[in-house]
Amino acid sequence: MEQEALYRLSRSLQKWILEAAAYTRTQIKQPLTVSTKSGPNDLVTNVDCANQAFLAEKIKTAYPNAQLVGEEGAGEVPDDWQQGLTFFIDPIDGTMNFVKQRANFAIMIGVYEDGQPLFGIIYDVMADQLFWGGPQLGIFENEAALKNAVDEPLQEGLICVNTRMVVTNEAHLQEVLYQCSGVRIYGSAGITFAHLLKGQVQAYISKLAPWDIAAGRVLAETLGFQVLQFDGQSISMMRKEGMIIAPKQAIQEIVTIMNGSND
Amino acid sequence: MEQEALYRLSRSLQKWILEAAAYTRTQIKQPLTVSTKSGPNDLVTNVDCANQAFLAEKIKTAYPNAQLVGEEGAGEVPDDWQQGLTFFIDPIDGTMNFVKQRANFAIMIGVYEDGQPLFGIIYDVMADQLFWGGPQLGIFENEAALKNAVDEPLQEGLICVNTRMVVTNEAHLQEVLYQCSGVRIYGSAGITFAHLLKGQVQAYISKLAPWDIAAGRVLAETLGFQVLQFDGQSISMMRKEGMIIAPKQAIQEIVTIMNGSND
């Protein structure tokens, strides 16, 4: 994409996300309509759906040829998502936090051009922290440029994880945790990415859907983080899959432990 | 304690904690002197020690007959701590977060009179959120009165836990987690209490030293939370011990699961 068109895309997405967030804040003290999806702890609310519809409408109008993938509504990732522009929308990431905490949730959009990371944006609505940018623009928290990831050994960093994977010790995850400085669980991919981007946690190990990872991947990779499956392969962006986000040294150590032969 | 003396104590502790926090903020971008205590993930910094010394000096001058128990320096809880006034000081709670995140840590003081909760104060330094009060004063976040705990079933709430207890499934903890809405780990007792007091998490299950629990216990009990050992007995405040903090319905469910006979 030409630089001028990219700037326009950046300004537009920031504007639309801030508008969706303003609406979301008006609903923060209201009763929510909450439904379950795959299980009792997989929630969707009226605000998720309203934000999805609002953002999809804005994007479709401005980019009529683009493909949309969204957590609420759009569903499956099309086989040809690597052709042209694709927008991955998460209208409320961390819906359980939204419902129970009325804080610590994010609105996220990741944009890919011919399958390559172009632009990512994550907005921590209640903290008013906007993380945005891409490989051609650099990465910013509000208006401040963020620093590259610090490439340290695993033992120097905090790790964010998926609770169920810890309990079942999937892929030797407990061994990874014993090697690091500590574990944090924030309940939202977007809020976890905010901590990664600010350098407050070193690694994130979880199972993420395409709309959970799309924006964070653009931002994190641009700052020098790697995003890999547990076996060290590239992620597909086609389905929910296990993945590790960390700088080079730590991700090498984590992949080694997770593929250890001490089963 | 007479009401007027209690107001004076409240004002004094708020003033001293805000002074310690102002100093702490000046150190937030500076290199820290970090030492380990019981293990590589049990840290103390020069700021912990400076805050401990500052707060202890202020308290000793104003309350020369009081007993002091502090994380850094004072050590053991005296056998006669239930006589007269006792101040439990945690000069930086969440030292790993302080070192790695430069956020999400707290300064805490709990005050007991003849062994009974009198006053508690927890300051989330970087978020500028001050939680304070006691049974005679009510409980406040900055100047806003906080509501009583919502007494709901376990399945309605988020739970904060100790990572090592999850990994080892100590006292059937994993079963508790399967019954609740989700797990969060914030890396600081004080930050976890902030979430409990705001109604953002329902329960906290961990092993806490007297200075970790002293302030939070005063605040949480006043809002209707209970604080019990895993077996349902009262806590001792004499040593680090396993404990559950939750409202009535949830704590009953948790104690039942943790003492289940399905070993």
Side-chain angles (χ1 to χ4, degrees), chain A:
Chain A
M1 185 175 279
E2 296 290 325
Q3 197 76 5
E4 190 48 51
L6 181 57
Y7 285 135
R8 191 162 58 242
L9 181 147
S10 171
R11 286 193 302 271
S12 296
L13 286 181
Q14 292 190 48
K15 179 169 181 287
W16 300 333
I17 279 199
L18 292 173
E19 286 177 28
Y23 165 75
T24 303
R25 277 192 217 98
T26 67
Q27 301 300 303
I28 210 74
K29 302 231 175 195
Q30 306 297 320
L32 298 169
T33 306
V34 183
S35 311
T36 58
K37 296 190 291 184
S38 64
N41 295 337
D42 185 14
L43 306 180
V44 60
T45 76
N46 54 307
V47 180
D48 296 66
C49 297
N51 284 354
Q52 173 82 34
F54 170 80
L55 294 169
E57 173 61 26
K58 291 289 188 189
I59 293 167
K60 274 184 196 158
T61 302
Y63 301 94
N65 297 321
Q67 304 198 70
L68 262 63
V69 181
E71 180 167 15
E72 314 308 340
E76 296 293 294
V77 181
D79 285 336
D80 65 345
W81 78 271
Q82 301 207 27
Q83 311 233 329
L85 271 186
T86 304
F87 292 74
F88 296 82
I89 304 172
D90 196 335
I92 297 278
D93 176 74
T95 301
M96 183 63 81
N97 282 353
F98 177 58
V99 171
K100 299 290 183 186
Q101 304 194 329
R102 304 297 170 111
N104 307 316
F105 59 89
I107 304 176
M108 313 198 287
I109 300 176
V111 190
Y112 290 68
E113 186 175 36
D114 297 331
Q116 297 305 309
L118 181 71
F119 185 80
I121 181 163
I122 298 176
Y123 188 49
D124 177 343
V125 174
M126 302 312 288
D128 187 26
Q129 291 181 340
L130 188 74
F131 300 87
W132 60 279
Q136 294 170 248
L137 298 170
I139 307 299
F140 300 84
E141 176 188 345
N142 296 329
E143 298 312 314
L146 288 172
K147 291 185 196 149
N148 279 342
V150 177
D151 188 22
E152 289 184 318
L154 175 58
Q155 69 181 20
E156 293 299 323
L158 298 171
I159 294 193
C160 289
V161 293
N162 166 310
T163 306
R164 189 164 290 260
M165 285 186 61
V166 177
V167 169
T168 61
N169 195 23
E170 183 172 341
H172 309 291
L173 180 58
Q174 294 178 1
E175 181 59 26
V176 176
L177 304 187
Y178 279 121
Q179 302 292 326
C180 73
S181 283
V183 175
R184 302 290 179 266
I185 299 180
Y186 297 119
S188 151
I191 299 303
T192 304
F193 270 106
H195 285 82
L196 279 167
L197 298 169
K198 289 190 278 187
Q200 295 184 320
V201 302
Q202 180 191 54
Y204 182 24
I205 303 174
S206 191
K207 296 188 178 180
L208 300 175
W211 43 84
D212 293 323
I213 183 63
R217 180 186 164 194
V218 177
L219 302 172
E221 285 186 349
T222 304
L223 290 180
F225 290 87
Q226 297 183 1
V227 182
L228 297 173
Q229 293 189 60
F230 297 159
D231 62 5
Q233 300 297 305
S234 299
I235 63 170
S236 75
M237 304 283 293
M238 294 289 290
R239 67 191 74 86
K240 187 168 185 172
E241 57 198 335
M243 59 186 80
I244 312 160
I245 300 97
K248 193 173 173 189
Q249 283 187 64
I251 209 165
Q252 286 177 344
E253 291 186 66
I254 293 168
V255 168
T256 299
I257 296 169
M258 294 185 85
N259 293 278
S261 53
N262 55 334
D263 282 286

Side-chain angles (χ1 to χ4, degrees), chain B residues 8-55:
Chain B
R8 190 162 58 241
L9 180 146
S10 171
R11 285 194 301 272
S12 296
L13 286 182
Q14 292 189 48
K15 179 169 181 287
W16 300 333
I17 278 199
L18 292 173
E19 287 177 27
Y23 165 74
T24 304
R25 276 191 218 97
T26 67
Q27 301 300 301
I28 209 75
K29 303 232 172 195
Q30 305 297 320
L32 298 169
T33 306
V34 182
S35 311
T36 58
K37 296 191 290 184
S38 64
N41 295 337
D42 185 14
L43 306 181
V44 60
T45 76
N46 54 307
V47 180
D48 297 66
C49 297
N51 284 353
Q52 172 82 33
F54 170 81
L55 293 168

Side-chain angles (χ1 to χ4, degrees), chain B:
Chain B
M1 185 178 281
E2 295 292 325
Q3 197 75 3
E4 191 48 50
L6 181 56
Y7 284 135
R8 190 162 58 241
L9 180 146
S10 171
R11 285 194 301 272
S12 296
L13 286 182
Q14 292 189 48
K15 179 169 181 287
W16 300 333
I17 278 199
L18 292 173
E19 287 177 27
Y23 165 74
T24 304
R25 276 191 218 97
T26 67
Q27 301 300 301
I28 209 75
K29 303 232 172 195
Q30 305 297 320
L32 298 169
T33 306
V34 182
S35 311
T36 58
K37 296 191 290 184
S38 64
N41 295 337
D42 185 14
L43 306 181
V44 60
T45 76
N46 54 307
V47 180
D48 297 66
C49 297
N51 284 353
Q52 172 82 33
F54 170 81
L55 293 168
E57 172 62 26
K58 291 289 188 188
I59 293 166
K60 273 183 197 160
T61 303
Y63 300 95
N65 298 322
Q67 303 198 71
L68 261 63
V69 181
E71 180 168 15
E72 313 309 338
E76 297 292 294
V77 180
D79 286 337
D80 64 345
W81 78 270
Q82 301 207 30
Q83 310 231 329
L85 270 185
T86 303
F87 291 74
F88 295 81
I89 304 171
D90 196 335
I92 297 277
D93 175 74
T95 302
M96 183 63 81
N97 283 353
F98 176 58
V99 172
K100 299 289 184 187
Q101 305 194 327
R102 304 297 169 112
N104 306 316
F105 59 89
I107 303 175
M108 314 199 287
I109 301 175
V111 190
Y112 290 68
E113 186 176 36
D114 296 331
Q116 297 304 307
L118 181 72
F119 185 80
I121 181 164
I122 297 176
Y123 187 48
D124 177 342
V125 174
M126 302 312 287
D128 188 25
Q129 292 181 338
L130 189 74
F131 300 87
W132 60 278
Q136 294 170 249
L137 297 171
I139 306 299
F140 299 84
E141 177 188 347
N142 297 330
E143 298 311 314
L146 287 172
K147 291 185 196 149
N148 279 342
V150 177
D151 188 20
E152 289 183 318
L154 175 59
Q155 68 181 22
E156 293 300 322
L158 298 170
I159 295 193
C160 289
V161 293
N162 168 310
T163 305
R164 190 166 288 261
M165 284 185 60
V166 177
V167 169
T168 61
N169 195 24
E170 183 170 342
H172 309 289
L173 180 58
Q174 294 178 1
E175 181 60 26
V176 176
L177 304 188
Y178 278 120
Q179 302 291 327
C180 74
S181 284
V183 175
R184 302 291 179 264
I185 299 181
Y186 297 119
S188 151
I191 299 303
T192 304
F193 270 106
H195 286 82
L196 280 166
L197 299 169
K198 289 190 278 187
Q200 295 183 319
V201 302
Q202 181 192 53
Y204 183 24
I205 304 175
S206 191
K207 297 188 178 180
L208 300 175
W211 43 83
D212 294 322
I213 183 63
R217 178 185 165 194
V218 177
L219 301 172
E221 284 186 350
T222 304
L223 290 179
F225 291 86
Q226 297 183 0
V227 181
L228 298 173
Q229 292 189 61
F230 298 157
D231 63 4
Q233 301 296 308
S234 300
I235 63 169
S236 75
M237 304 284 293
M238 293 290 289
R239 68 190 73 85
K240 187 168 183 171
E241 58 197 335
M243 59 185 79
I244 312 160
I245 300 98
K248 193 172 172 188
Q249 284 187 64
I251 209 166
Q252 286 176 345
E253 290 185 68
I254 293 168
V255 168
T256 299
I257 295 169
M258 293 185 85
N259 292 279
S261 53
N262 55 334
D263 281 288

